[in-house]
């Protein structure tokens, strides 16, 4: 069991979840600073294919991130991820492989 970020994060990258994670296990291809710079510049289209991921090894299942996500992209376990987004379970783990 681990927390998983799914499709709604793509292009949203709000980063609220990163700020509350006590073990700093939420990362993506861009740093939070880089994401904020892109958003501040109004260049959100550059984030279309960008999402963040939760490291399933480091995550302590505290649940702090889930209510912070404005687009309900975070699910509390593999089993809770809707079938249509099952591929995101491996995507999260593979990002840290
Ligand atoms: S999971 Fe939600 S809060 Fe975290 S970066 Fe993606 S959209 Fe933002
Ligand atoms: S459940 Fe807790 S430890 Fe896991 S990603 Fe969310 S905030 Fe971080």
């Amino acid at each position: 069991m681990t927390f998983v970020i799914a499709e709604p994060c793509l292009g949203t990258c709000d980063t609220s979840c990163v700020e509350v994670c006590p073990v700093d296990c939420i990362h993506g291809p861009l740093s939070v600073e880089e994401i904020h710079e892109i958003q501040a510049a109004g260049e959100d289209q550059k984030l279309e294919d960008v999402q963040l991921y939760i490291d399933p090894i480091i995550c302590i299942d505290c649940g702090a991130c889930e209510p912070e996500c404005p687009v309900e992209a975070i699910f509390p376990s593999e089993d809770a991820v809707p079938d249509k987004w099952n591929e995101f379970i491996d995507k999260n783990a593979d990002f840290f492989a």
Side-chain angles (χ1 to χ4, degrees):
M1 291 254 294
T2 191
F3 278 62
V4 175
I5 298 178
E7 202 269 347
C9 182
L10 270 172
T12 306
C13 295
D14 171 79
T15 74
S16 306
C17 57
V18 177
E19 285 157 41
V20 300
C21 180
V23 294
D24 192 26
C25 71
I26 306 175
H27 299 280
L30 300 174
S31 69
V32 169
E33 292 74 24
E34 288 170 323
I35 290 171
H36 287 173
E37 280 171 21
I38 289 169
Q39 289 166 334
E43 297 173 337
D44 291 45
Q45 74 280 2
K46 287 186 179 171
L47 299 174
E48 257 173 29
D49 297 323
V50 176
Q51 74 157 93
L52 302 192
Y53 304 95
I54 292 172
D55 187 333
I57 305 293
I58 307 291
C59 175
I60 57 170
D61 298 338
C62 74
C65 55
E66 187 182 358
E68 297 299 320
C69 180
V71 292
E72 299 182 0
I74 304 176
F75 295 88
S77 71
E78 288 97 333
D79 289 345
V81 176
D83 286 347
K84 62 181 175 182
W85 293 330
N86 267 348
E87 69 193 276
F88 286 86
I89 296 168
D90 283 345
K91 276 190 182 176
N92 277 251
D94 289 348
F95 182 77
F96 300 96

